[in-house]
Amino acid sequence: MIRIVMAIIAVIVGTAIGSIVNNLIGFLNVQFFPLPEGLTYFDLFDEANMEPIIEWIGTLPDTAFILVVIAHLSQAFVGGVVAALIAKRNMLCVALIVGSISLIGGIMNMSIIPSPVWMWMEMPFYILVAYWAAKIVMKWRGCDTN
């Protein structure tokens, strides 16, 4: 029973910390590509401001989305590491769950916010980086990683 509780806690904390990392990198991106006058970073999460945000996104160069991809994948990786560190057992499972939650969020994000088509290529990498995260933690702990 305690293993299940620890796995659930690991997934929740891993997902939360991964989301924080994603947002911090996203905030950094807004420093490189400033929002239009009158909008703040937090307006990105407000549906009432979706129209000007979508217009702004349409003006961004493709290079603006590279840091976005890094932010998204960092969420799955960092979240996966944190989840695996907390879980101690079932490290691969909890990391992959965090990666799957990140993937679902990524699909929802791409469905709502217009982005370059090439960004859809990041989708399989959510699971892959979460897998790598678990394997790294397993190696640190001396677990069999085969």
Side-chain angles (χ1 to χ4, degrees), residues 15 20 25 28 32-33 38 58 68 79-80 83 90 97-98 106 132 139 144:
T15 301
I20 291 168
I25 296 171
L28 179 65
F32 292 124
F33 301 97
V68 173
N90 303 317
I97 291 171
V98 170
W132 285 338
K139 187 173 183 179
D144 182 23

Side-chain angles (χ1 to χ4, degrees), residues 72 100-113 120 122-124 126:
H72 292 169
S100 298
I101 291 168
S102 299
L103 173 61
I104 291 166
I107 291 169
M108 289 171 49
N109 191 30
M110 292 289 290
S111 299
I112 295 168
I113 300 171
W120 282 97
E122 80 179 11
M123 296 305 150
Y126 284 99

